[in-house]
Amino acid sequence: MEGPYLAYDSHESDDSVGGNDDGLVSPGEVIELDVTLVNTGPDAAVDVVGLLTSGDAYVTVTDSTASYGTIAGGGFGTNATPYRFEVDETAPNGHGLAFSFAASDAGEGSWGINIPALQISAADLEQVGVVVDDGGSGGNGNGVLEAGESAWLEITLENTGAIDVDYVTAVLSEVNGYLAVTDGDGTFGSIPSGMSAPCETHSFRVSVSPTAPPSYDVSLALAATGDGGTYEHNEDLTIELTLGGVANEGPCGPDSYGYFAYDTSDGWTGQAPTYDWVEITGVGDQVISVTNQDAATTARPLPFTFQYYGTNYTQVSICSNGFLAMGITDYRLGDNSAIPSPHGAAAMVSPFWDDLSPNVAGDIYEWYDSANDRYIVQFDEVVHYSGSNPETFEVIFYDPAVYGTTTGDGIIVMQYEDVSLVSQCTIGIENPGQTDGIQYVYNNSYDPCAAAVVDGQAIKYTTEGPTAPPVWLVIAGSEIDDSEGGNGNGFAEPGETIDITLTIENRGLSSAPAVSATISTLDPDATIVNGTASFGSIAGGGMAVNAAPLTVTIAAEPADPTIEFDVHLATGLRYDSWDVLVLDIVLDRHRARRKRHRGGRGSDGVRPSAERTEPVPRRHGDRVRSACAFACVPRGVQRGRAEGGERGRRRVRRRPPHGSVGRARLVRT
């Protein structure tokens, strides 16, 4: 081989000038890079110049060229001046920054040289634990979120990244309609690399809809922010929980696919059917192939394409034993079973699966009601195998092209005109794979949400969920006023008498009449002067504030800086609610401001110090600000004058930084 030949030998990155000098490549840093080349050829490479480029989204090369001078054959050379690049603040931990490198010399030699990717060292937060604290007035204390409860979520984060992250805070927000976040701001303090940290005690509070189904998977979004030293660390996490409890009202389901079953008693859901019998014996056609048979099934064409569990069907099978099945099946037996089960027909629609005998008495009809875009199958006075107990019921399929749903699946309604022996049948729907479905009743064992199948009952199967709960009250905001019983600075302080105004939101569909709030506490540091307030009626989706304030007096020498109140929201309906109102007391203005950025509250109610006991200024963009710029104010207090400028009042917004005077949520009693 003749001439020079340049190749990669090694590299060294330096963050001492544009970073924190820890020898790592981290987000927000300006890195100086030296690349050493080796000349594996026999001849010298003269006036070598290197060119560093990158198409990586997380890097910007600012100094891309450097001189190497002459590199003798078999010798090594390092750039005389460093290459420089900026690392984007969003670069994730473990990401390898990819570069392209080329070298050339005066002899017109050029070499494309591969250099290793430079690995990013950043924080990386993961949620590793959630403890549900539903004790006290908010729930039943079993550690599981259930319909109608309110609870604290004690969330633990782990830093699996390569560097520490300080002053970690997070905001919890709603993803699922069954949960309301009533206190969404929390603090975790410093989380070293490889370590975990829980949120401060009583940071996050949620309220569960009174109509939330049991065993339902719900999600919350957690936006975490921390100080990575050279950058602001931001990370979006997902909190996943499964609701517990036993349903006792509302629709059956949803099943895994998303079907619900509504009966006529579910009026508040906005989806309940109205019993409206459609008599088709005078207008429909007898299904001859099954109407006089003991156990027979026949396939009939549908007048429209019907989507069921995501599959389109143009035929339906009708069996003399009280069930239908989408598509074509030859299953015909009356030995009913549970749903779901591999026994029986696939894709079953079962209004009354039992051993029926239309060959003894009764008839089966079908009719396409073109005026209303629906296909109806009626079993008319069909008796059981014993020859007695006639049953009259029908199934109505609604054209999905006319009666649309979010998923595109068709609506099915079963109606019962005259039933006599329900205790031996199966009623419900099942998917084509026979692995999912809704069992409304099986051999007199009803779903907990199912109403009895009696004359005049109707059951609607659809993938559309309830439009809204009937009444769902949450505390959406709160405000304290010490202008009459204190010094008027808007802070709750020892010896003061303060007025509390609550904003109550009704997230339900129905109006909540005569809403009132009653507060109570066992804390000796508070004396309740006026513990009950009225809100009037609150319309569904509306808000209201108490006309007369709740009033409490704080002890002259409180034992700790926190007072918790139980809040009972009464509605005049059965959907009363309980929750917790948290009031922080400013024992010492300077001391309170310093403590606010630290770790969680200890058993004595005082927040212990974190590893770093003083706020450290940090650079953010082109300005310096305190690391606890928004975290040093006690819960329940907003800095500055109140909205509107009135002295002595501070408004706590829906989710202000670090909580509010109160957090609240609904618990049905």
Side-chain angles (χ1 to χ4, degrees), residues 106-345:
E108 298 186 357
S110 61
W111 300 267
I113 299 174
N114 292 324
I115 62 173
L118 274 64
Q119 189 174 45
I120 293 294
S121 294
D124 190 0
L125 298 177
E126 295 181 4
Q127 177 270 117
V128 294
V130 179
V131 176
V132 175
D133 179 3
D134 63 338
S137 299
N140 57 15
N142 67 352
V144 179
L145 279 178
E146 298 173 10
E149 286 192 333
S150 63
W152 300 108
L153 298 184
E154 308 295 346
I155 300 172
T156 298
L157 299 181
E158 180 180 1
N159 181 5
T160 61
I163 65 172
D164 302 346
V165 59
D166 297 324
Y167 307 119
V168 177
T169 61
V171 176
L172 190 70
S173 58
E174 304 155 14
V175 174
N176 187 283
Y178 288 123
L179 288 183
V181 176
T182 56
D183 188 344
D185 299 275
T187 298
F188 294 84
S190 297
I191 310 180
S193 173
M195 303 295 289
S196 61
C199 61
E200 66 179 22
T201 303
H202 290 181
S203 282
F204 304 107
R205 193 164 180 85
V206 297
S207 166
V208 188
S209 166
T211 62
S215 302
Y216 194 78
D217 293 330
V218 294
S219 298
L220 293 161
L222 187 72
T225 299
D227 184 354
T230 60
Y231 73 108
E232 181 176 89
H233 184 81
N234 296 291
E235 197 150 357
D236 293 326
L237 306 172
T238 299
I239 308 297
E240 296 181 343
L241 299 166
T242 299
L243 300 180
V246 176
N248 53 18
E249 58 186 49
C252 304
D255 63 8
S256 297
Y257 180 80
Y259 271 102
F260 294 84
Y262 301 90
D263 56 57
T264 53
S265 68
D266 297 329
W268 61 263
T269 65
Q271 296 289 349
T274 298
Y275 176 78
D276 186 13
W277 181 258
V278 183
E279 182 59 52
I280 68 171
T281 56
V283 294
D285 299 320
Q286 282 193 355
V287 186
I288 300 299
S289 53
V290 294
T291 195
N292 294 316
Q293 300 296 318
D294 174 36
T297 300
T298 185
R300 303 294 298 165
L302 287 167
F304 43 76
T305 299
F306 191 85
Q307 182 174 311
Y308 182 69
Y309 281 98
T311 300
N312 289 325
Y313 294 91
T314 57
Q315 292 180 298
V316 63
S317 296
I318 304 172
C319 180
S320 60
N321 282 314
F323 69 84
L324 293 77
M326 304 309 298
I328 300 174
T329 183
D330 57 4
Y331 188 86
R332 59 187 181 84
L333 302 181
D335 54 338
N336 63 301
S337 63
I339 292 175
S341 169
H343 180 73

Side-chain angles (χ1 to χ4, degrees), residues 7 18 21 43 81 87 100 184 214 218 220 258 325 327 350 418 423 500 508 515 520 530 566 594 614 633 640 645:
D21 197 20
D43 299 326
T81 57
V87 184
S100 298
V218 294
L220 293 161
S350 175
D418 187 2
S423 60
I500 302 173
V515 177
S520 60
N530 177 32
D566 289 332
R594 286 184 56 191
E614 294 295 337
V633 181

Side-chain angles (χ1 to χ4, degrees), residues 479-484 487-491 499 501 638-651:
E479 182 180 287
I480 65 171
D481 182 0
D482 66 338
S483 60
E484 294 186 6
N487 58 17
N489 66 355
F491 293 84
D499 293 331
T501 300
Q638 284 282 75
R639 292 189 304 277
R641 292 191 178 273
E643 295 174 7
E646 184 178 353
R647 177 176 171 80
R649 299 176 68 90
R650 296 292 187 273
R651 181 175 301 281

Side-chain angles (χ1 to χ4, degrees), residues 560-575:
D560 62 69
T562 301
I563 300 175
E564 292 194 1
F565 299 89
D566 289 332
V567 182
H568 177 209
L569 296 175
T571 64
L573 302 172
R574 56 187 174 139
Y575 290 103

Side-chain angles (χ1 to χ4, degrees), residues 578-596:
W578 289 88
D579 215 314
V580 176
L581 189 70
V582 179
L583 176 66
D584 280 2
I585 306 167
V586 180
L587 300 180
D588 176 89
R589 181 71 55 79
H590 176 68
R591 184 158 57 93
R593 288 179 63 86
R594 286 184 56 191
K595 283 183 178 179
R596 188 58 191 153

